[in-house]
Amino acid sequence: MNIDRRMFSLIGGHRAPFILSIAASGAAAVMVIGQAASLSRLVNDAFIEKAPPAALLPSIGFFALFSMLRMFLGWLGHAEANRGTIAVRKDLFGRLTGAIALRGPLYARSLPSGRLSTTLIKGVEALDAYFSQFLPQLVLALLAPLIILIAVFPVDPVSGFILLATAPLIPLFMALIGKRAGAMTDRQWETLSRMSGYFLDMLQGLPTLKLFARSRSQHDAIADAGERFRTATMKVLRVAFLSSLTLELVGTIGTAMIAVAIGLRLLTAGLTFQTALFVLLLTPDFYLPLRQLGLKFHAGMEGTSASKDIFAVLDGAGNGSIDRSINGPIDGPEPEGHQKVPFEGKNTPEAAPFHRSEIRFEGVSYSYPGSTEPALSSLTCAIPAGRTTAVTGPSGAGKSTLMNLLLRFQDPCSGTITAGGRPIGEYPVEAWRELVAWVPQHPFLFNETLRLNIMMANRSATEETLLRAVRMAGLEELVDRLPAGIDTPVGEQGIRFSGGEAQRIALARAFMKDAPLLVLDEPTSHTDPELEATLQRAIGTLMQNRTTLIIAHRLETIRSADTILVLEGGRETATGTHRELMESSAFYRRAFLEHGESVQ
Ligand code: ADP
């Protein structure tokens, strides 16, 4: 079977427990020999030599000692393998979520939702079995028979040769069967991933399906998918049972051959009773790890199959910067070759004068996969440094696409986006995103305390900076009202915030991050005018002296922007100040007048 070298690379810095586990398993195999030697001696002395009971005591003592040591070492081997596995799993989980986060929300959305969760949960679990069960067993299957062979050869070469000749049959059969089982497990895995993806999508769409009276047909489709998974699983199990049967057979035949060979030589007195018993006692232990490997084979196969999806997620994150987010702590030292983006320094609003770089879109086009109409076509525009650029346009004009490109959630199909004259694609994604603060329309709050939710942008910030961000975002009053203040848990296990409150928390994050470039998807107006005013004030402060791109929904924001960019059908149709656009853009004039009337 193909044991992917990359699987071993996952062990990374957690080698110590695995090495300890192997050493314990090796030592346990030596104890097996001690057990067999003391037991054969004991039986020989008691029944053949008819020794007095007192003379048997040392053998009994040794046998008990070896048995206990064997048990202890076996336990230690398992415990260490599990300890190592937990570490690998934790690491891998972090790397996977890091890779997904780096690729942005569009990547997560581009896959059926269940598929990603299958990879994350079932996949990591399957790898768990690989590391905690299959891998230690594989090492044991190589080590224990070798140690036993070394013990048997000097005392009885004939049995040694039989063991040596039959042992390779087990891995040989396993490899033959394994090839077929591998393909089947792959298929089973694929079916499971597809089924859970499908199931989750159905579940999410259930109200819609009900609405259109389509739930019955989907019920049948789910039943079909379940049946396909059952068939695939049964096939895998059939092969798994067949392989254990074969392995048992080889083990049994081997043992029988040794028993016959020993029996014959005992009759002709070519072998002492004690040696014969010693070899016979060891024979089952010789085949045992190999047979058990057969039982763990399925775990190994499943782990290898699952790893393909896992590596696909890890690899997909691409462009070099992933290594940083994977291997190093986010706040860790800058890796070599980590380039600074051409913004000067990480700024505080007070640290004037700013040297900030203009962002330019040059002939940028983007089409969503599978869509014929480009979402943006040949867009050329500038977002001037230190000023506010408002993007406006009808729904579907490409505003969100423009924002996603700037946040590097997706890359342009053609054209370039530059910052200070250098394509932003030249910089590691993470370094780029360090310089961008993003306030989405529907910010996500984690099941953590409010403090951690705000601090996520800058974990090393001082209490003073945190409180300042809270104040700037207009959250002070809200925090005062919370039962445990800023340490109140948020989300499923805690307080739920309204949309407007969540947005102010996102603003506090942006204040904390204090990045030179601000990308803001302006909240659509709220019913509470007081809340709205607080929010607008906070946004206004945040935008000061920063290069800001704002997808604007409010007239006031658009009117006060330094530059307004009008997008229609993926193209820029007008750009300028409010006054200029009232003259030059029909869309702008119409939209403004319509809304203008409604707000008056
Ligand atoms: P806006 O934010 O101005 O409403 P978008 O940037 O969301 O516009 O969309 C621009 C175009 O791209 C629209 O025609 C929309 O249908 C299409 N589009 C947006 N997101 C996707 C997607 N994930 N897959 C396919 N097409 C999309």
Side-chain angles (χ1 to χ4, degrees):
M1 105 176 248
N2 169 28
I3 302 155
D4 199 333
R5 283 239 299 327
R6 283 197 69 181
M7 295 280 263
F8 286 105
S9 74
L10 290 177
I11 293 177
H14 310 294
R15 265 182 229 114
F18 288 102
I19 292 174
L20 201 60
S21 166
I22 292 171
S25 302
V30 175
M31 294 308 127
V32 171
I33 293 165
Q35 254 184 329
S38 50
L39 188 62
S40 55
R41 171 87 190 259
L42 178 65
V43 175
N44 189 62
D45 287 354
F47 298 101
I48 308 286
E49 309 285 336
K50 306 258 193 278
L56 301 179
L57 281 179
S59 301
I60 294 175
F62 274 120
F63 180 69
L65 179 72
F66 285 127
S67 302
M68 271 185 314
L69 279 176
R70 180 187 180 180
M71 241 161 34
F72 169 72
L73 289 166
W75 168 83
L76 185 69
H78 275 295
E80 284 302 307
N82 276 324
R83 194 163 71 90
T85 307
I86 290 169
V88 169
R89 178 193 192 138
K90 210 169 134 214
D91 213 34
L92 184 64
F93 215 74
R95 289 167 64 170
L96 275 170
T97 41
I100 293 167
L102 201 64
R103 297 179 81 187
L106 285 167
Y107 168 70
R109 249 181 274 147
S110 72
L111 299 172
S113 28
R115 175 138 202 158
L116 207 53
S117 57
T118 307
T119 306
L120 276 179
I121 298 162
K122 291 284 291 176
V124 175
E125 225 170 68
L127 278 197
D128 219 80
Y130 181 93
F131 285 112
S132 66
Q133 296 175 27
F134 177 71
L135 211 55
Q137 193 59 46
L138 183 69
V139 176
L140 191 65
L142 294 174
L143 213 59
L146 193 72
I147 292 175
I148 292 177
L149 262 187
I150 293 172
V152 169
F153 251 110
V155 294
D156 183 12
V158 178
S159 301
F161 275 117
I162 298 175
L163 291 178
L164 193 63
T166 47
L169 287 180
I170 294 182
L172 182 76
F173 280 131
M174 221 154 62
L176 287 178
I177 298 169
K179 242 192 159 74
R180 201 165 145 61
M184 283 183 179
T185 318
D186 275 355
R187 212 169 312 137
Q188 181 208 20
W189 185 253
E190 174 74 25
T191 322
L192 173 67
S193 298
R194 217 174 305 140
M195 187 178 74
S196 40
Y198 185 64
F199 190 61
L200 202 67
D201 282 350
M202 279 307 114
L203 220 57
Q204 283 166 344
L206 211 55
T208 323
L209 290 172
K210 277 257 178 254
L211 215 60
F212 293 101
R214 300 259 318 143
S215 51
R216 181 76 229 160
S217 65
Q218 294 305 336
H219 173 269
D220 296 344
I222 287 177
D224 256 12
E227 178 58 25
R228 266 200 303 279
F229 181 60
R230 191 190 67 81
T231 320
T233 309
M234 288 321 275
K235 271 191 191 153
V236 171
L237 286 181
R238 211 154 52 207
V239 177
F241 287 138
L242 181 71
S243 62
S244 355
L245 183 76
T246 320
L247 300 183
E248 292 288 335
L249 207 66
V250 175
T252 315
I253 293 175
T255 313
M257 277 165 67
I258 288 184
V260 171
I262 284 178
L264 287 176
R265 279 175 300 149
L266 266 181
L267 285 178
T268 57
L271 205 64
T272 65
F273 174 79
Q274 190 179 336
T275 313
L277 188 59
F278 174 68
V279 174
L280 265 182
L281 283 173
L282 281 182
T283 308
D285 278 309
F286 176 83
Y287 292 111
L288 188 71
L290 291 164
R291 276 170 27 214
Q292 277 175 341
L293 181 62
L295 294 179
K296 303 279 167 29
F297 199 57
H298 191 221
M301 282 285 171
E302 212 176 39
T304 318
S305 294
S307 72
K308 286 178 191 153
D309 272 359
I310 286 176
F311 288 131
V313 173
L314 289 181
D315 289 343
N319 80 12
S321 65
I322 186 69
D323 289 333
R324 180 164 183 241
S325 79
I326 285 172
N327 297 332
I330 300 286
D331 309 315
E334 300 258 315
E336 266 178 62
H338 183 67
Q339 302 166 67
K340 267 277 169 215
V341 191
F343 282 108
E344 255 178 22
K346 189 126 160 67
N347 308 289
T348 55
E350 295 81 7
F354 284 116
H355 171 85
R356 294 230 174 88
S357 316
E358 182 185 63
I359 312 262
R360 290 192 65 83
F361 279 64
E362 297 188 29
V364 172
S365 299
Y366 185 82
S367 300
Y368 284 92
S371 144
T372 44
E373 285 288 303
L376 278 185
S377 52
S378 308
L379 178 73
T380 298
C381 65
I383 303 167
R387 327 204 72 183
T388 302
T389 305
V391 185
T392 185
S395 173
K399 303 184 291 290
S400 312
T401 309
L402 177 88
M403 183 184 76
N404 287 334
L405 287 172
L406 195 57
L407 291 166
R408 292 192 51 195
F409 289 150
Q410 58 212 54
D411 294 320
C413 298
S414 61
T416 40
I417 305 171
T418 59
R422 283 187 82 165
I424 62 171
E426 279 183 12
Y427 302 98
V429 179
E430 252 205 10
W432 173 248
R433 289 197 192 135
E434 282 275 300
L435 295 155
V436 190
W438 177 40
V439 182
Q441 272 221 10
H442 304 288
F444 188 82
L445 299 181
F446 295 89
N447 289 325
E448 299 274 5
T449 58
L450 182 58
R451 174 194 296 276
L452 287 178
N453 260 291
I454 299 175
M455 298 260 292
M456 61 179 299
N458 182 2
R459 291 209 183 265
S460 52
T462 59
E463 187 75 14
E464 200 188 334
T465 325
L466 174 70
L467 293 179
R468 186 168 163 272
V470 166
R471 201 174 53 245
M472 304 276 261
L475 276 174
E476 251 178 340
E477 208 186 308
L478 177 80
V479 170
D480 284 346
R481 268 192 285 120
L482 293 175
I486 194 140
D487 291 305
T488 308
V490 172
E492 266 163 34
Q493 283 110 43
I495 295 244
R496 286 188 180 276
F497 290 107
S498 72
E501 288 164 344
Q503 265 159 356
R504 278 184 291 155
I505 295 172
L507 286 179
R509 278 181 190 157
F511 276 115
M512 288 288 277
K513 188 162 184 182
D514 197 14
L517 175 63
L518 174 67
V519 179
L520 221 147
D521 198 348
E522 190 181 39
T524 39
S525 50
H526 292 282
T527 39
D528 182 347
E530 205 176 307
L531 224 160
E532 167 100 14
T534 327
L535 198 60
Q536 288 314 321
R537 252 199 317 276
I539 292 178
T541 322
L542 188 59
M543 289 196 304
Q544 270 169 26
N545 291 327
R546 262 179 244 271
T547 309
T548 306
L549 177 88
I550 178 163
I551 299 185
H553 302 292
R554 293 173 65 258
L555 273 179
E556 209 34 60
T557 317
I558 300 175
R559 201 152 64 166
S560 59
D562 298 306
T563 317
I564 304 157
L565 193 70
V566 182
L567 282 186
E568 286 175 86
R571 291 171 191 280
E572 180 229 287
T573 52
T575 175
T577 59
H578 168 67
R579 193 169 295 169
E580 286 162 358
L581 290 182
M582 283 301 272
E583 300 271 320
S584 63
S585 168
F587 164 80
Y588 187 82
R589 198 165 44 240
R590 199 171 56 243
F592 188 82
L593 288 179
E594 271 172 23
H595 285 283
E597 273 162 23
S598 66
V599 291
Q600 266 164 14

